């Protein structure tokens, strides 16, 4: 049972979000017929053809899809893609064809990922279209005909029979049908639609005389006049909303673009500066240009998008194992910045497993006894559930709870005898919030034994209004409120005895009057055991949790409090009332309370999502019905229910919960935060190597050539494209730091690169590495007797020492990379807190880069290609200390920072509901 089923709520009649139908279906039938220019014999074929040309085909139409070429070009001119294009061109210019083709492959893969993501909204609309039938029965020229459903027009007279799908929105003129509206409302019990007068001010879906396209007739026969087709139907309205609420770029996608422009500026500026400096100190122009190209290529992070993709894919796989299917990779990171979760109650916070928990009778209150057994058994009679071959009850969970509860209270019900004795059935009506049956005695020996009586069950306020005059109801109302405050869903059960031989009522209004109250039943859907802990983690993480449910406010509030939502302050709002923008602003932005929106409809969800987005909140929204699709699109993270949700909701959502469990959302938020942290770790890692690669050239340039160039272009490329890649990718698999869910959500516009990150990368890690690397370089030269200005070119006595020194620089940068990789694994915590050996992929990457370095240093063919020489043992021992020194320096810096700023260690005090960050103007 979904929350829509609990509420029996439906969207309010509104034209605010999409184009209204051209005809008002709430008008009296004679006036509607005049406006539609139709009659009891329907339309003529010629008139139908003319209207088809005017109104268009009866189908859910998708907006014109943008051309594939335009979308492809958009992906290929992404800022990072432009950088990669430039890197590829420079690689080909530098005669590094293999590198150039590899970069082009990266561009193609990332463009393909982005293009696939853009089709999500269109798939949801295509799923909506599948609800419409291919053919319909219509009266044309006074004769019933089978026509294509897409050819129906306003004014057509259609025939509906059991098993038919309703082909368009229509007004019932004759007969009556029972219609399954679950794809629109989430309500699993069919409702009656008959030829009757409308109800003033009722929501469109609750009008007793209207049927809607895509729904299914499960019983009865009727005629109906079509008043809306195509995109003017309720189904078309949902499709239009789904397409208008297009997906926006995730926070990470926006930040990657900013990072790309930053890297472009830094890389281009460095290339130009070093080209000018090289020429100024006397280097040949070709050598200076080659070195500038090398710096440009080296500073473009070819692995950035693959690393982000890997980190997101790891998060997707981990969440799939935990019960969350994420359909868009970037959504994993968006989850990490979630600041508000709007959740259903039934099945998400609770187990969706109703149990009969309390019985209250008129004369004996909550005392047990035969009167309680009679109440339980009578309530179970007013059900339609069936028992499967395996003994399990099949049908509405509320009714199943009544039948099971009767057995638990010593009054078991034989469902076969129940059905045999049933004389009439009036199914649950969400508008009236009542169900009733006319139940006769049991048949024995071919004769009816016992009296016939009417049994009515439903919402207490609806049943109590139909009691015999003078019947006291104040005590029953007070008892109902008390049961609701205890978190129970309350139903009232009433009866009326029919005299022997009396005519059975043919209309429900005749059956559901003059009743005598038997008592109240309290049904309880217990919260999931893990939800309270999940809510506590949300509060520690600075995430607010609002409940948007169709259930009674007192019941929903009791469940919310039981799982910790609204501690210390919870505000309950009857969302069935009109909620304006100002009121929503006051509730959601200006106040600090967590809120229960009770008796809410899917329209309420869309309003809530819009309000929160307008004020800069990152919203995760749950839903399961077809008309939840617009809200699921509008939220940053639409979360559909895998078990109870409709196909359209699952298509519209970004994430599908296979277990319908709120705790899985919190797990996904943690995964998103981990992904974002890992991307920042990768950036720290690659930025840290810019300093030791640039400093050698600065030393060469500032010394006017008296210090020979400590590093070659090919050695730089070997570092950035050979030794650096695997450890960088492995950082995308890093586990969460301790306390990741004890810090507030990051601001929506926070840059993925912060000032502290740059200081840490270029300053602490980069400068430490540069000092160590240059120390190794000068150690080799001075040991050979070199003095500033001594010649080191080929053929000179010091040439071999110079080659060995540049090799030491190369090996020193690689070993510093190892220390940087271990340092970058944590931002605040100590390495021991996450485990030195907890990332086996990183260990494998480090092993590869050390093996690759050894091959370049000691294999003769590679020595000739990369200009390296074998390192003596003392130099090897020297550079072997670099990882510990680099990591140790950063570990001391983090330890000092933890002592100075305890909050930096993610040890913020846990509070039930953290203060909401307020900004002027929202």
């Amino acid at each position: 049972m979904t929350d829509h089923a609990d509420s029996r709520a439906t969207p309010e009649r509104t034209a605010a979000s999409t184009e209204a139908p051209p005809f008002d279906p709430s008008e009296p039938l004679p006036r509607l017929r005049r406006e539609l220019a139709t009659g009891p014999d329907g339309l003529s074929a010629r008139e139908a053809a003319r209207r088809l040309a005017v109104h268009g085909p009866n189908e859910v139409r998708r907006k014109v899809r943008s051309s594939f070429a335009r979308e492809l070009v958009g992906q290929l001119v992404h800022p990072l893609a432009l950088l990669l294009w430039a890197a590829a061109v420079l690689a080909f210019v530098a005669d590094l064809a293999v590198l150039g083709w590899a970069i082009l492959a990266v561009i193609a893969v990332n463009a393909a990922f982005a293009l696939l993501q853009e089709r999500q909204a269109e798939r949801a609309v295509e799923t909506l279209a599948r609800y419409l039938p291919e053919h319909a029965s219509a009266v044309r020229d006074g004769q019933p005909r089978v026509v294509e459903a897409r050819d129906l027009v306003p004014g057509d007279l259609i025939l509906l029979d059991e098993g038919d799908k309703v082909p368009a929105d229509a007004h019932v003129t004759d007969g009556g049908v029972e219609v399954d509206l679950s794809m629109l409302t989430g309500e699993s019990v069919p409702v009656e639609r008959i030829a009757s007068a409308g109800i003033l001010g009722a929501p469109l879906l609750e009008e007793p005389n209207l049927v809607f396209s895509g729904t299914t007739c499960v019983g009865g026969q009727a005629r109906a006049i079509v008043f809306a087709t195509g995109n003017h139907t309720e189904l078309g309205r949902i499709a239009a909303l789904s397409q208008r609420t297009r997906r926006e770029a995730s926070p990470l996608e926006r930040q990657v673009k900013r990072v790309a422009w930053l890297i472009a500026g830094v890389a281009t500026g460095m290339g130009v500066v070093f080209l000018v400096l090289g020429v100024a100190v006397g280097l040949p122009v070709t050598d200076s240009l080659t070195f500038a190209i090398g710096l440009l290529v080296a500073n473009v992070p070819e692995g950035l998008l693959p690393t982000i993709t890997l980190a997101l894919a790891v998060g997707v796989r981990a969440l799939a194992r935990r019960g969350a299917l994420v359909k868009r990779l970037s959504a994993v990171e968006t989850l990490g910045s979630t600041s508000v979760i709007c959740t259903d109650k039934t099945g998400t916070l609770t187990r969706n497993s109703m149990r009969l928990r309390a019985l209250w009778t008129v004369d004996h209150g909550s005392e047990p006894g035969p009167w309680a057994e009679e109440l339980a058994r009578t309530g179970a009679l007013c059900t339609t559930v069936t028992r499967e071959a395996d003994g399990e009850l099949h049908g509405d969970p509320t009714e199943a709870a009544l039948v099971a509860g009767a057995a638990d209270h010593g009054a078991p019900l034989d469902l076969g005898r129940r059905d045999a004795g049933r004389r009439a059935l009036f199914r649950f009506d969400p508008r009236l919030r009542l169900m009733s049956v006319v139940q006769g005695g049991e048949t024995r020996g071919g004769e009816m034994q016992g009296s016939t009586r009417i049994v009515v069950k439903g919402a207490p306020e609806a049943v109590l209004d139909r009691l015999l005059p003078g019947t006291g109801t104040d005590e029953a109302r007070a008892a109902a409120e008390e049961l609701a405050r205890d978190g129970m869903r309350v139903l009232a059960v009433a009866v009326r005895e029919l005299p022997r031989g009396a005519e059975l009522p043919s209309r429900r209004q005749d059956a559901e009057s003059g009743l005598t109250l038997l008592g109240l039943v309290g049904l309880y859907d217990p919260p999931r055991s893990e939800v309270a802990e999940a809510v506590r983690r949300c509060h520690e993480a600075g995430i607010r949790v609002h409940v948007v449910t169709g259930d009674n406010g007192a019941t929903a509030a009791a469940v919310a409090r039981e799982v910790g939502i609204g501690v210390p302050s919870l505000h309950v709002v009857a969302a069935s009332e009109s909620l304006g923008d100002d009121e929503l602003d006051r509730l959601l932005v200006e106040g600090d309370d967590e809120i229960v929106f009770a008796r809410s409809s899917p329209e309420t969800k869309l309003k809530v999502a819009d309000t929160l987005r307008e004020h800069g909140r990152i919203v995760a929204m749950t839903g399961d019905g077809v008309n939840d699709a617009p809200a699921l699109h509008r939220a940053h993270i639409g979360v559909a229910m895998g078990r109870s949700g409709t196909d359209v909701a699952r298509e519209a959502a970004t994430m599908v919960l296979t277990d319908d469990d709120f705790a899985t959302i919190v797990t996904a938020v943690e995964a998103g935060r981990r992904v974002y942290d890992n991307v920042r770790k990768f950036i720290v890692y690659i930025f840290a190597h810019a300093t030791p690669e640039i400093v050698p050239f600065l030393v060469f340039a500032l010394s006017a050539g008296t210090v020979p160039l400590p590093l070659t272009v090919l050695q730089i490329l070997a570092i950035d494209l050979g030794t650096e890649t695997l450890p960088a990718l492995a950082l995308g698999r890093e586990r969460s730091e301790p306390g990741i869910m004890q810090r507030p959500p990051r601001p929506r516009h926070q840059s993925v690169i912060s000032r502290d990150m740059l200081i840490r990368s270029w300053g602490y890690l980069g400068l430490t590495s540069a000092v160590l690397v240059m120390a190794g370089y000068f150690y080799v030269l001075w040991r050979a007797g070199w003095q500033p200005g001594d010649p080191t070119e080929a053929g000179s006595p010091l040439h071999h020492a110079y080659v060995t020194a540049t090799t030491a620089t190369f090996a020193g940068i690689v070993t510093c990379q190892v220390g940087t990789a271990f340092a970058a694994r944590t931002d605040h915590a100590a390495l021991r807190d996450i485990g030195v050996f907890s990332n086996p992929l990183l260990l494998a990457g480090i092993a590869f880069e050390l093996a690759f370095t050894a091959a370049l240093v000691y294999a003769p063919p590679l020595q000739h290609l990369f200009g390296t020489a074998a390192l003596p043992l003392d130099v090897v021992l020297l550079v072997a200390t670099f990882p510990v020194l680099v990591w140790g320096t950063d570990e001391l810096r983090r330890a000092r920072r933890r002592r100075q700023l305890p909050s930096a260690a993610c040890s913020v005090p846990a509070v039930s509901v953290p203060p909401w960050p307020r900004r002027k103007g929202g």
Side-chain angles (χ1 to χ4, degrees), residues 409-649:
H409 285 79
L413 181 68
D414 187 314
L415 299 184
R417 291 184 176 179
R418 176 203 65 183
D419 295 340
R422 182 161 294 168
R423 309 272 73 85
L425 166 67
F426 300 100
R427 293 184 180 274
F428 180 82
D429 187 321
R431 175 175 56 90
L432 301 174
R433 301 174 64 202
L434 291 173
M435 173 185 174
S436 55
V437 296
V438 181
Q439 200 73 23
E442 298 174 358
T443 303
R444 296 175 184 171
E447 295 185 1
M448 184 69 67
Q449 303 294 321
S451 62
T452 300
R453 62 177 176 171
I454 299 168
V455 180
V456 179
K457 80 172 194 307
E461 55 268 33
V463 173
L464 296 178
D465 287 343
R466 288 163 173 79
L467 298 183
L468 285 169
T471 303
T473 59
D474 292 342
E475 188 179 0
R477 293 185 192 279
E481 291 177 2
E482 183 178 352
L483 292 174
R485 283 195 296 271
D486 289 337
M488 282 178 267
R489 185 180 179 201
V490 186
L491 297 176
V493 179
V495 298
R496 174 157 61 92
E497 300 289 339
L498 291 178
R500 187 178 297 275
E503 183 179 355
L504 299 180
S506 59
R507 301 184 307 168
R508 70 181 311 150
Q509 54 263 45
D510 295 332
E512 296 166 351
S513 61
L515 304 173
T516 300
L517 182 67
L518 279 186
L520 307 172
V521 295
L523 301 166
Y524 186 64
D525 184 7
R528 293 175 181 266
S529 59
E530 63 275 16
V531 168
E533 172 63 17
V535 170
R536 185 190 64 78
R537 295 179 66 202
C538 283
H539 290 163
E540 287 185 346
I543 300 171
R544 292 197 176 278
V545 183
H546 301 309
V547 181
V548 188
T549 177
D551 211 341
N552 172 274
T555 301
V559 172
R561 291 190 179 96
E562 188 167 348
V563 298
I565 296 174
V567 178
S569 180
L570 183 70
H571 191 72
V572 180
V573 177
S576 56
E577 301 172 0
S578 178
L579 288 174
D581 291 342
D582 292 341
E583 176 69 5
L584 283 173
D585 286 346
R586 184 185 65 79
L587 290 170
L588 293 170
V589 182
E590 297 175 10
D592 292 334
D593 296 345
E594 288 180 313
I595 303 168
V596 171
F597 292 94
R599 299 296 187 204
S600 62
S601 70
E603 296 282 345
T604 306
K605 291 187 175 183
L606 185 57
K607 289 181 179 180
V608 170
D610 272 330
T611 301
L612 290 168
R613 285 188 66 115
E614 182 69 22
H615 293 279
R617 313 301 192 243
I618 305 296
V619 187
M621 173 78 72
T622 68
D624 51 17
V626 167
N627 53 358
D628 282 334
L632 294 178
H633 269 304
R634 188 59 180 151
H636 296 91
I637 298 293
V639 183
M641 302 297 108
R643 292 180 179 175
S644 59
T646 60
D647 291 340
V648 175

Side-chain angles (χ1 to χ4, degrees), residues 709-904:
L709 192 61
L711 197 63
T712 68
V713 173
L714 282 179
Q715 287 169 353
I716 286 180
L717 293 176
I719 292 169
D720 286 280
L721 301 173
T723 64
E724 182 180 80
T725 305
L726 285 182
L729 292 174
L731 288 173
R733 298 286 299 271
E734 199 60 62
R735 65 172 55 182
S736 302
E737 281 193 54
I740 192 172
M741 290 295 286
Q742 293 177 311
R743 64 191 192 211
R746 67 179 184 276
R748 183 180 183 184
H749 301 293
Q750 181 192 67
S751 175
V752 72
I753 297 180
S754 65
R755 181 177 60 87
D756 287 344
M757 285 174 62
L758 294 179
I759 292 174
R760 185 187 182 195
S761 299
W762 290 339
Y764 289 99
L765 293 169
L767 192 58
T768 301
S769 299
V771 169
L772 294 174
V773 165
M774 293 309 301
Y777 174 73
F778 285 119
Y779 169 76
V780 174
L781 286 180
W782 285 332
R783 190 188 60 170
W786 171 85
Q787 296 293 325
D790 288 349
T792 56
E793 64 272 8
S796 65
L798 292 174
H799 178 67
H800 180 72
Y802 168 69
V803 173
T804 303
T806 59
T807 304
T809 304
F810 166 70
I813 292 177
V814 172
T815 54
C816 285
Q817 280 181 330
V818 175
T820 302
F822 277 103
R825 292 183 64 193
T826 64
D827 186 28
H828 299 291
L831 181 60
R832 65 177 179 273
D833 292 337
I834 62 170
V836 178
F837 304 107
S838 60
N839 189 341
L841 186 61
L842 178 63
L843 300 178
I846 290 172
F848 169 80
E849 73 173 330
L850 293 178
F852 181 74
T853 302
L856 264 61
V857 171
Y858 294 104
L862 295 177
Q863 286 179 337
H864 176 73
L865 178 62
F866 286 91
T868 58
L871 294 177
L873 180 60
D874 59 332
V875 177
V876 171
L877 294 175
L878 175 65
V879 298
T881 65
F882 291 178
V884 177
L885 293 174
V886 172
W887 164 77
T889 301
D890 192 69
E891 187 79 8
L892 291 173
R893 180 194 67 84
R894 281 180 281 122
R896 183 174 64 253
R897 188 176 182 184
R898 287 195 298 272
R899 288 193 298 270
Q900 294 174 349
L901 301 171
S903 60

